Amino acid sequence: GTKPAFFHVSHRFVSPGLPGVSASGMGLRLSQKFVFLLFLSGLVTLCFGALFFLPDSVRLKRIFLSKTETQPVTVGSGSENDVREHLKRPKDQEHPRGMASVKGETSTKLKSLSRKPSVSHEATEERLAGGKAQEDLTLLRSKTESASEKSTSSDHGATSDTFSYKKFKRCLLRPPLGTDDGKPSDPKTNERREKVKEMMKFAWDNYKRYAWGKNELQPLTRNGHIGNMFGGLRGASIIDSLDTLYIMGLVEEYNDAKDWVQTSLDLNSNGEASLFEVNIRYVGGLLSAYYLTGEELFKNKAVELGEKLLPAFNTPTGIPRGVINLGSGTSWSWGWASAGSSILAEFGTLHLEFVHLTELSGNPIYTEKVMNIRKLLNKIEKPHGLYPNFLSPVSGNWVQHHVSIGGLGDSFYEYLIKSYLMSDKTDDDAKKMYYSALEAIEANLVQKSPGGLTYMAEWRGGILDHKMGHLACFSGGMIGIGADDGAPEKRQHYLDLAAEITHTCHESYTRSATKLGPEAFRFDSGAEATATRLSDRYYILRPEVIESYMYMWRLTHDPKYREWGWEAVQALEEHCRVESGFSGIRDVYTLTVSHDNMQQSFFLSETLKYLYLLFSDDDLLPLEDWVFNTEAHPLPIVRKSCLQDEATQDKTVSE
Ligand code: DMJ
């Protein structure tokens, strides 16, 4: 008939059972065979092409598409081509930030331990009270000095041809640990500080005893948790604890942690990681450990890991995707993020660490990557001056208009002001972006409750959701540390706002039975700083409220912040301390607590560190020299001009 030949062939192909039609193609004329093949290749091309239109999270797409599809056309930086090109198959993965993750166990090489960890409360306190700790501390600090001397001589080693640890130390305004390791002169405060140290030792000892090398301790079942956030990396609690152990003078514990990094931290993992989590916990933790101790090991590991994160930036805009396979470098967006978008708080929380990776490695690529993100965010139109939480890494446009200072948005704002401070106040773009974002937040999100509590609501395309997350409570501290550098006439206003937000967050604690705050609290339907939904009542050892107490204490020295911190210590002891560690709780409003069986690594890194700093003198990690990354890892202010002067001086001396 009149039908084109391929129709007949096609029909034959899909209907092999029809009478009179041969399925094998035997007996076809040459021209029919040719048309058949043509059709077949057309079909294959069509199917392959269709893959491009599937969302990134579809496994089929990631199995078949090679990385060339996501090669970058960067806004600005244009230096994307030095990343690894090989590809392996990634898997589906869903893991919202800050949520409990899927359990899994893999055997990890354990370092043989000469010392059995002591987990008895009394024994711990006894050891800490004795002179042993002080002796250990002196030894550790002198070891650190010699490590920094050594690092000076190898400053021209594998990862750095410009950075000198010695010069860096000379450019600090104060010794990092103060005159007496921050020991407060007031005995009551010192006792409280010792208590926090004991809590750290208890948490650490139990992690070591039951979960060594795993990511986190499950204190009720007394085993380790690996989770799916770190792409097969292990020892999250170890990396997150290095600096806390060091500043607390927990010498043996720090040495065990360092040995583990040396012998067992394997960066050649092949799993799917959250770019954000690996950056803030691992890269941040290793960087801090290096800057505090001068141990080259930490620097080398940080740079090696940083390199593995680079392929995540291979997108049309240079905005990284949220998930990366650390082995293959393939990256994709979270399945739960709408339309393959990237999350503001994730791609906006890389700047501090990446700038330091460039400092230490001498490789500009890290700074270029984050400056490119900065440029795009600066240029893009913002609804009412606000930054929505979801952005497409392909088009560079906002995907939906949900704005939050809590989860999904939080640390982006934090990193703007901290980028400015960490640049020795030279990064003017960061400064401008921070203060205009804050203005927009004040105009659109900051609210006063009928009972007089100031809070940050969430914004959904112009409609306010009168809810504040525990995560948003970091903003008291953030607004406080930024108070000095905005318009001078606004200084007091910002300090007041910071104090009001911190007060509200404290109220969310005092209004619960356990004196710990819920995951989210509301200001509608008669609620004032209390959770109204069952699902918002949990507390997972988060630091944000205590973090704001610490900053507000440093900024105002109002004793109430230390009192509030002490209330939190008592509540943690009473409700979260279990026989073998600390655990989150499922409902802060009931005294018959139910534990969630998880000692989060940020409890060691942030919650206990901020408490310790709150009860220490201000010269322990002074804010004139250090900014804390969002996981509370201290990073030094980069004093470019000092470092250059030092370099010139060194040159003159050697001539
Ligand atoms: C930490 O990992 C970081 O503080 C992050 O910015 C937010 N969530 C947790 C702690 O709550």
Side-chain angles (χ1 to χ4, degrees):
T2 53
K3 278 183 188 162
F6 75 86
F7 261 100
H8 295 292
V9 176
S10 140
H11 182 75
R12 190 174 293 153
F13 178 65
V14 296
S15 311
L18 286 179
V21 179
S22 157
S24 66
M26 291 288 286
L28 288 180
R29 282 200 307 273
L30 193 66
S31 63
Q32 281 178 315
K33 280 183 185 165
F34 175 74
V35 172
F36 175 72
L37 280 174
L38 203 68
F39 169 73
L40 207 64
S41 62
L43 195 71
V44 168
T45 317
L46 217 78
C47 290
F48 189 71
L51 285 174
F52 285 86
F53 294 94
L54 291 173
D56 289 337
S57 54
V58 173
R59 175 185 293 236
L60 205 66
K61 176 172 182 177
R62 291 191 264 112
I63 291 173
F64 284 105
L65 282 192
S66 92
K67 275 182 66 201
T68 45
E69 161 249 347
T70 54
Q71 284 309 299
V73 183
T74 333
V75 179
S77 107
S79 52
E80 316 276 343
N81 299 324
D82 58 344
V83 290
R84 290 152 306 134
E85 292 299 316
H86 47 281
L87 169 78
K88 282 188 196 148
R89 187 191 66 79
K91 289 201 314 248
D92 277 343
Q93 182 174 359
E94 305 218 346
H95 188 91
R97 293 185 60 217
M99 304 266 298
S101 43
V102 182
K103 289 182 191 177
E105 295 287 322
T106 309
S107 71
T108 306
K109 198 178 123 212
L110 294 186
K111 178 186 159 292
S112 64
L113 300 167
S114 54
R115 187 175 63 90
K116 265 248 170 289
S118 145
V119 290
S120 123
H121 194 152
E122 291 80 344
T124 300
E125 280 185 333
E126 201 180 294
R127 199 189 81 79
L128 291 170
K132 170 98 175 64
Q134 195 48 50
E135 267 169 46
D136 286 351
L137 190 59
T138 318
L139 193 69
L140 170 69
R141 300 283 150 73
S142 68
K143 269 193 185 165
T144 301
E145 285 311 309
S146 71
S148 33
E149 290 312 314
K150 254 198 294 166
S151 75
T152 307
S153 57
S154 56
D155 272 338
H156 297 273
T159 57
S160 171
D161 45 11
T162 51
F163 187 82
S164 155
Y165 190 79
K166 210 161 134 192
K167 280 178 225 155
F168 146 71
K169 282 296 268 293
R170 288 205 297 254
C171 289
L172 291 176
L173 303 178
R174 316 253 213 108
L177 304 184
T179 44
D180 194 9
D181 302 319
K183 186 174 175 189
S185 49
D186 161 36
K188 188 174 104 187
T189 308
N190 192 42
E191 219 173 273
R192 291 177 171 186
R193 186 170 102 128
E194 286 301 309
K195 176 69 210 168
V196 176
K197 182 170 170 178
E198 183 279 325
M199 291 164 79
M200 178 68 190
K201 180 157 169 52
F202 178 73
W204 173 263
D205 283 346
N206 279 291
Y207 165 76
K208 183 172 169 187
R209 180 163 186 180
Y210 298 114
W212 189 242
K214 303 282 177 11
N215 285 328
E216 285 159 321
L217 164 70
Q218 301 196 125
L220 300 186
T221 44
R222 299 196 178 99
N223 58 344
H225 176 254
I226 288 175
N228 60 359
M229 291 192 303
F230 306 118
L233 296 177
R234 297 289 185 266
S237 291
I238 299 176
I239 308 296
D240 252 356
S241 295
L242 281 163
D243 51 14
T244 312
L245 295 171
Y246 183 81
I247 66 164
M248 290 183 177
L250 288 166
V251 182
E252 275 177 56
E253 292 75 6
Y254 163 80
N255 282 331
D256 287 343
K258 189 184 87 183
D259 288 351
W260 184 87
V261 175
Q262 180 113 51
T263 58
S264 309
L265 175 60
D266 180 7
L267 299 181
N268 292 316
S269 72
N270 194 27
E272 300 145 7
S274 155
L275 171 69
F276 165 82
E277 297 289 357
V278 168
N279 177 58
I280 66 168
R281 300 193 203 207
Y282 282 83
V283 178
L286 290 164
L287 286 172
S288 287
Y290 173 64
Y291 282 116
L292 288 173
T293 66
E295 294 282 356
E296 291 284 291
L297 161 73
F298 299 133
K299 175 175 85 173
N300 295 336
K301 291 278 184 193
V303 175
E304 193 184 332
L305 184 54
E307 222 173 278
K308 288 177 187 290
L309 301 181
L310 288 173
F313 294 77
N314 288 348
T315 65
T317 55
I319 297 288
R321 298 184 199 272
V323 190
I324 177 165
N325 181 305
L326 294 176
S328 67
T330 315
S331 69
W332 62 98
S333 305
W334 294 109
W336 49 269
S338 40
S341 53
S342 298
I343 312 296
L344 181 68
E346 297 198 330
F347 65 78
T349 309
L350 304 164
H351 203 102
L352 304 182
E353 296 81 3
F354 273 51
V355 164
H356 273 293
L357 287 175
T358 286
E359 278 301 303
L360 295 184
S361 67
N363 186 348
I365 192 163
Y366 303 101
T367 302
E368 286 167 6
K369 297 289 182 195
V370 288
M371 286 311 283
N372 179 55
I373 299 176
R374 164 82 65 72
K375 255 190 213 157
L376 188 143
L377 288 174
N378 204 358
K379 253 186 20 204
I380 186 174
E381 202 174 308
K382 293 165 264 292
H384 300 271
L386 295 166
Y387 291 81
N389 291 338
F390 297 94
L391 186 94
S392 162
V394 176
S395 68
N397 293 322
W398 303 118
V399 171
Q400 45 150 287
H401 286 181
H402 171 217
V403 178
S404 155
I405 308 307
L408 305 176
D410 49 7
S411 39
F412 158 68
Y413 305 96
E414 176 186 351
Y415 271 35
L416 284 180
I417 184 63
K418 288 183 176 174
S419 295
Y420 172 66
L421 297 174
M422 200 183 82
S423 71
D424 203 15
K425 306 195 178 180
T426 60
D427 185 348
D428 285 329
D429 281 342
K431 177 180 177 178
K432 275 188 214 133
M433 285 169 76
Y434 170 74
Y435 288 103
S436 38
L438 188 54
E439 239 170 68
I441 289 166
E442 279 203 77
N444 295 284
L445 308 185
V446 175
Q447 304 287 306
K448 187 79 104 190
S449 75
L453 297 178
T454 304
Y455 64 97
M456 303 258 191
E458 302 203 352
W459 194 84
R460 296 177 192 275
I463 297 172
L464 283 186
D465 187 1
H466 295 271
K467 152 188 155 188
M468 186 163 172
H470 192 288
L471 288 166
C473 285
F474 85 97
S475 60
M478 175 187 76
I479 295 168
I481 55 169
D484 266 349
D485 298 295
E489 69 278 10
K490 290 197 107 178
R491 182 178 176 273
Q492 195 52 48
H493 165 73
Y494 285 139
L495 283 176
D496 293 344
L497 179 60
E500 284 171 31
I501 300 267
T502 308
H503 169 69
T504 300
C505 292
H506 175 246
E507 284 300 301
S508 79
Y509 275 47
T510 56
R511 293 172 191 214
S512 80
T514 56
K515 306 298 165 208
L516 293 165
E519 179 67 5
F521 42 95
R522 305 196 65 94
F523 297 87
D524 50 12
S525 323
E528 290 242 354
T530 51
T532 53
R533 297 176 190 170
L534 262 178
S535 57
D536 285 339
R537 293 171 161 215
Y538 63 90
Y539 171 70
I540 55 167
L541 305 174
R542 285 198 193 279
E544 291 77 15
V545 176
I546 290 164
E547 174 181 349
S548 284
Y549 296 165
M550 191 283 288
Y551 283 115
M552 293 312 291
W553 163 255
R554 289 250 175 135
L555 294 168
T556 65
H557 290 137
D558 184 333
K560 77 179 176 201
Y561 295 114
R562 278 187 164 166
E563 288 312 312
W564 292 355
W566 185 241
E567 287 168 13
V569 167
Q570 289 171 305
L572 284 165
E573 282 286 286
E574 199 177 330
H575 305 294
C576 299
R577 188 172 180 136
V578 293
E579 215 183 304
S580 304
F582 285 90
S583 165
I585 58 175
R586 295 208 166 87
D587 185 348
V588 295
Y589 298 104
T590 165
L591 285 174
T592 43
V593 289
S594 158
H595 292 106
D596 70 4
N597 192 25
M598 187 62 71
Q599 180 176 283
Q600 305 278 350
S601 80
F602 53 67
F603 180 65
L604 307 160
S605 160
E606 297 192 71
T607 313
L608 292 176
K609 188 188 285 128
Y610 285 134
L611 281 168
Y612 190 75
L613 292 172
L614 177 65
F615 299 122
S616 296
D617 278 354
D618 296 358
D619 66 357
L620 177 58
L621 298 172
L623 296 179
E624 293 96 313
D625 279 325
W626 301 87
V627 296
F628 292 88
N629 90 338
T630 194
E631 189 77 0
H633 295 304
L635 298 172
I637 287 173
V638 180
R639 297 211 160 84
K640 279 262 184 278
S641 54
C642 171
L643 289 168
Q644 271 150 18
D645 290 352
E646 286 289 336
T648 325
Q649 257 181 37
D650 275 6
K651 214 172 139 221
T652 324
V653 171
S654 71
E655 279 164 7

PDB file of all heavy atoms in Angstrom, residues 550-565:
ATOM      1  N   MET A 550      26.836  32.362  73.476  1.00  0.00           N
ATOM      2  CA  MET A 550      28.290  32.564  73.511  1.00  0.00           C
ATOM      3  C   MET A 550      28.661  33.901  72.866  1.00  0.00           C
ATOM      4  O   MET A 550      29.397  34.701  73.441  1.00  0.00           O
ATOM      5  CB  MET A 550      28.982  31.394  72.787  1.00  0.00           C
ATOM      6  CG  MET A 550      30.484  31.327  72.960  1.00  0.00           C
ATOM      7  SD  MET A 550      31.448  32.500  71.988  1.00  0.00           S
ATOM      8  CE  MET A 550      31.295  31.858  70.337  1.00  0.00           C
ATOM      9  N   TYR A 551      28.105  34.170  71.682  1.00  0.00           N
ATOM     10  CA  TYR A 551      28.451  35.439  71.022  1.00  0.00           C
ATOM     11  C   TYR A 551      27.944  36.626  71.839  1.00  0.00           C
ATOM     12  O   TYR A 551      28.634  37.628  71.994  1.00  0.00           O
ATOM     13  CB  TYR A 551      27.858  35.490  69.611  1.00  0.00           C
ATOM     14  CG  TYR A 551      28.633  34.662  68.610  1.00  0.00           C
ATOM     15  CD1 TYR A 551      28.065  33.548  68.005  1.00  0.00           C
ATOM     16  CD2 TYR A 551      29.940  35.005  68.262  1.00  0.00           C
ATOM     17  CE1 TYR A 551      28.766  32.790  67.081  1.00  0.00           C
ATOM     18  CE2 TYR A 551      30.656  34.250  67.334  1.00  0.00           C
ATOM     19  CZ  TYR A 551      30.063  33.141  66.752  1.00  0.00           C
ATOM     20  OH  TYR A 551      30.769  32.391  65.836  1.00  0.00           O
ATOM     21  N   MET A 552      26.726  36.512  72.354  1.00  0.00           N
ATOM     22  CA  MET A 552      26.164  37.644  73.107  1.00  0.00           C
ATOM     23  C   MET A 552      26.956  37.884  74.391  1.00  0.00           C
ATOM     24  O   MET A 552      27.115  39.019  74.836  1.00  0.00           O
ATOM     25  CB  MET A 552      24.677  37.411  73.411  1.00  0.00           C
ATOM     26  CG  MET A 552      23.783  37.401  72.188  1.00  0.00           C
ATOM     27  SD  MET A 552      24.054  38.782  71.069  1.00  0.00           S
ATOM     28  CE  MET A 552      23.444  40.156  72.036  1.00  0.00           C
ATOM     29  N   TRP A 553      27.457  36.809  74.983  1.00  0.00           N
ATOM     30  CA  TRP A 553      28.322  36.971  76.157  1.00  0.00           C
ATOM     31  C   TRP A 553      29.582  37.748  75.780  1.00  0.00           C
ATOM     32  O   TRP A 553      29.966  38.727  76.424  1.00  0.00           O
ATOM     33  CB  TRP A 553      28.694  35.620  76.765  1.00  0.00           C
ATOM     34  CG  TRP A 553      29.886  35.734  77.681  1.00  0.00           C
ATOM     35  CD1 TRP A 553      31.156  35.337  77.418  1.00  0.00           C
ATOM     36  CD2 TRP A 553      29.915  36.360  78.971  1.00  0.00           C
ATOM     37  NE1 TRP A 553      31.985  35.662  78.466  1.00  0.00           N
ATOM     38  CE2 TRP A 553      31.250  36.298  79.436  1.00  0.00           C
ATOM     39  CE3 TRP A 553      28.942  36.970  79.779  1.00  0.00           C
ATOM     40  CZ2 TRP A 553      31.645  36.813  80.672  1.00  0.00           C
ATOM     41  CZ3 TRP A 553      29.343  37.481  81.017  1.00  0.00           C
ATOM     42  CH2 TRP A 553      30.682  37.397  81.448  1.00  0.00           C
ATOM     43  N   ARG A 554      30.213  37.330  74.693  1.00  0.00           N
ATOM     44  CA  ARG A 554      31.440  38.013  74.272  1.00  0.00           C
ATOM     45  C   ARG A 554      31.182  39.483  73.936  1.00  0.00           C
ATOM     46  O   ARG A 554      32.028  40.334  74.165  1.00  0.00           O
ATOM     47  CB  ARG A 554      32.035  37.318  73.042  1.00  0.00           C
ATOM     48  CG  ARG A 554      32.645  35.953  73.345  1.00  0.00           C
ATOM     49  CD  ARG A 554      34.150  35.994  73.235  1.00  0.00           C
ATOM     50  NE  ARG A 554      34.753  34.733  73.627  1.00  0.00           N
ATOM     51  CZ  ARG A 554      35.719  34.119  72.943  1.00  0.00           C
ATOM     52  NH1 ARG A 554      36.166  34.652  71.814  1.00  0.00           N
ATOM     53  NH2 ARG A 554      36.243  33.000  73.376  1.00  0.00           N
ATOM     54  N   LEU A 555      30.005  39.757  73.384  1.00  0.00           N
ATOM     55  CA  LEU A 555      29.735  41.127  72.928  1.00  0.00           C
ATOM     56  C   LEU A 555      29.266  42.047  74.049  1.00  0.00           C
ATOM     57  O   LEU A 555      29.487  43.245  74.001  1.00  0.00           O
ATOM     58  CB  LEU A 555      28.674  41.110  71.812  1.00  0.00           C
ATOM     59  CG  LEU A 555      29.111  40.427  70.513  1.00  0.00           C
ATOM     60  CD1 LEU A 555      27.917  40.188  69.596  1.00  0.00           C
ATOM     61  CD2 LEU A 555      30.169  41.265  69.787  1.00  0.00           C
ATOM     62  N   THR A 556      28.583  41.472  75.039  1.00  0.00           N
ATOM     63  CA  THR A 556      27.968  42.353  76.052  1.00  0.00           C
ATOM     64  C   THR A 556      28.465  42.093  77.471  1.00  0.00           C
ATOM     65  O   THR A 556      28.318  42.937  78.341  1.00  0.00           O
ATOM     66  CB  THR A 556      26.435  42.140  76.092  1.00  0.00           C
ATOM     67  OG1 THR A 556      26.176  40.796  76.540  1.00  0.00           O
ATOM     68  CG2 THR A 556      25.795  42.347  74.730  1.00  0.00           C
ATOM     69  N   HIS A 557      28.972  40.912  77.726  1.00  0.00           N
ATOM     70  CA  HIS A 557      29.327  40.465  79.079  1.00  0.00           C
ATOM     71  C   HIS A 557      28.179  40.566  80.066  1.00  0.00           C
ATOM     72  O   HIS A 557      28.383  40.719  81.275  1.00  0.00           O
ATOM     73  CB  HIS A 557      30.574  41.200  79.595  1.00  0.00           C
ATOM     74  CG  HIS A 557      31.798  40.762  78.848  1.00  0.00           C
ATOM     75  ND1 HIS A 557      32.771  41.625  78.405  1.00  0.00           N
ATOM     76  CD2 HIS A 557      32.170  39.539  78.421  1.00  0.00           C
ATOM     77  CE1 HIS A 557      33.685  40.940  77.743  1.00  0.00           C
ATOM     78  NE2 HIS A 557      33.352  39.679  77.731  1.00  0.00           N
ATOM     79  N   ASP A 558      26.979  40.463  79.529  1.00  0.00           N
ATOM     80  CA  ASP A 558      25.815  40.397  80.418  1.00  0.00           C
ATOM     81  C   ASP A 558      25.785  38.989  81.037  1.00  0.00           C
ATOM     82  O   ASP A 558      25.686  37.993  80.306  1.00  0.00           O
ATOM     83  CB  ASP A 558      24.545  40.651  79.585  1.00  0.00           C
ATOM     84  CG  ASP A 558      23.294  40.699  80.448  1.00  0.00           C
ATOM     85  OD1 ASP A 558      23.287  40.060  81.531  1.00  0.00           O
ATOM     86  OD2 ASP A 558      22.326  41.364  80.045  1.00  0.00           O
ATOM     87  N   PRO A 559      25.869  38.894  82.397  1.00  0.00           N
ATOM     88  CA  PRO A 559      25.975  37.569  83.036  1.00  0.00           C
ATOM     89  C   PRO A 559      24.807  36.638  82.748  1.00  0.00           C
ATOM     90  O   PRO A 559      24.919  35.415  82.929  1.00  0.00           O
ATOM     91  CB  PRO A 559      26.058  37.885  84.537  1.00  0.00           C
ATOM     92  CG  PRO A 559      25.725  39.319  84.684  1.00  0.00           C
ATOM     93  CD  PRO A 559      25.884  39.987  83.364  1.00  0.00           C
ATOM     94  N   LYS A 560      23.689  37.209  82.266  1.00  0.00           N
ATOM     95  CA  LYS A 560      22.532  36.319  82.022  1.00  0.00           C
ATOM     96  C   LYS A 560      22.863  35.251  80.981  1.00  0.00           C
ATOM     97  O   LYS A 560      22.343  34.145  81.037  1.00  0.00           O
ATOM     98  CB  LYS A 560      21.287  37.106  81.621  1.00  0.00           C
ATOM     99  CG  LYS A 560      21.261  37.597  80.203  1.00  0.00           C
ATOM    100  CD  LYS A 560      19.970  38.349  79.920  1.00  0.00           C
ATOM    101  CE  LYS A 560      20.016  38.931  78.509  1.00  0.00           C
ATOM    102  NZ  LYS A 560      19.101  40.016  78.304  1.00  0.00           N
ATOM    103  N   TYR A 561      23.756  35.571  80.040  1.00  0.00           N
ATOM    104  CA  TYR A 561      24.052  34.570  78.996  1.00  0.00           C
ATOM    105  C   TYR A 561      24.772  33.359  79.579  1.00  0.00           C
ATOM    106  O   TYR A 561      24.550  32.232  79.169  1.00  0.00           O
ATOM    107  CB  TYR A 561      24.842  35.207  77.851  1.00  0.00           C
ATOM    108  CG  TYR A 561      24.020  36.266  77.136  1.00  0.00           C
ATOM    109  CD1 TYR A 561      24.371  37.618  77.182  1.00  0.00           C
ATOM    110  CD2 TYR A 561      22.860  35.909  76.457  1.00  0.00           C
ATOM    111  CE1 TYR A 561      23.595  38.581  76.558  1.00  0.00           C
ATOM    112  CE2 TYR A 561      22.070  36.870  75.836  1.00  0.00           C
ATOM    113  CZ  TYR A 561      22.442  38.198  75.885  1.00  0.00           C
ATOM    114  OH  TYR A 561      21.659  39.138  75.279  1.00  0.00           O
ATOM    115  N   ARG A 562      25.648  33.614  80.565  1.00  0.00           N
ATOM    116  CA  ARG A 562      26.309  32.469  81.210  1.00  0.00           C
ATOM    117  C   ARG A 562      25.296  31.667  82.035  1.00  0.00           C
ATOM    118  O   ARG A 562      25.371  30.440  82.092  1.00  0.00           O
ATOM    119  CB  ARG A 562      27.462  32.956  82.086  1.00  0.00           C
ATOM    120  CG  ARG A 562      28.731  33.216  81.269  1.00  0.00           C
ATOM    121  CD  ARG A 562      29.924  33.540  82.137  1.00  0.00           C
ATOM    122  NE  ARG A 562      31.163  33.418  81.380  1.00  0.00           N
ATOM    123  CZ  ARG A 562      32.342  33.887  81.790  1.00  0.00           C
ATOM    124  NH1 ARG A 562      32.441  34.512  82.961  1.00  0.00           N
ATOM    125  NH2 ARG A 562      33.413  33.726  81.041  1.00  0.00           N
ATOM    126  N   GLU A 563      24.359  32.379  82.639  1.00  0.00           N
ATOM    127  CA  GLU A 563      23.325  31.666  83.415  1.00  0.00           C
ATOM    128  C   GLU A 563      22.472  30.806  82.483  1.00  0.00           C
ATOM    129  O   GLU A 563      22.166  29.657  82.794  1.00  0.00           O
ATOM    130  CB  GLU A 563      22.440  32.650  84.184  1.00  0.00           C
ATOM    131  CG  GLU A 563      23.135  33.311  85.369  1.00  0.00           C
ATOM    132  CD  GLU A 563      23.859  32.298  86.261  1.00  0.00           C
ATOM    133  OE1 GLU A 563      23.257  31.267  86.613  1.00  0.00           O
ATOM    134  OE2 GLU A 563      25.049  32.536  86.580  1.00  0.00           O
ATOM    135  N   TRP A 564      22.107  31.354  81.346  1.00  0.00           N
ATOM    136  CA  TRP A 564      21.288  30.601  80.387  1.00  0.00           C
ATOM    137  C   TRP A 564      22.062  29.380  79.878  1.00  0.00           C
ATOM    138  O   TRP A 564      21.498  28.305  79.688  1.00  0.00           O
ATOM    139  CB  TRP A 564      20.881  31.488  79.210  1.00  0.00           C
ATOM    140  CG  TRP A 564      19.919  32.581  79.591  1.00  0.00           C
ATOM    141  CD1 TRP A 564      19.343  32.776  80.809  1.00  0.00           C
ATOM    142  CD2 TRP A 564      19.428  33.622  78.742  1.00  0.00           C
ATOM    143  NE1 TRP A 564      18.517  33.879  80.781  1.00  0.00           N
ATOM    144  CE2 TRP A 564      18.558  34.421  79.516  1.00  0.00           C
ATOM    145  CE3 TRP A 564      19.636  33.982  77.420  1.00  0.00           C
ATOM    146  CZ2 TRP A 564      17.892  35.536  79.010  1.00  0.00           C
ATOM    147  CZ3 TRP A 564      18.982  35.096  76.898  1.00  0.00           C
ATOM    148  CH2 TRP A 564      18.116  35.862  77.691  1.00  0.00           C
ATOM    149  N   GLY A 565      23.355  29.574  79.669  1.00  0.00           N
ATOM    150  CA  GLY A 565      24.194  28.456  79.223  1.00  0.00           C
ATOM    151  C   GLY A 565      24.236  27.369  80.284  1.00  0.00           C
ATOM    152  O   GLY A 565      24.169  26.170  79.984  1.00  0.00           O
TER     153      GLY A 565
END
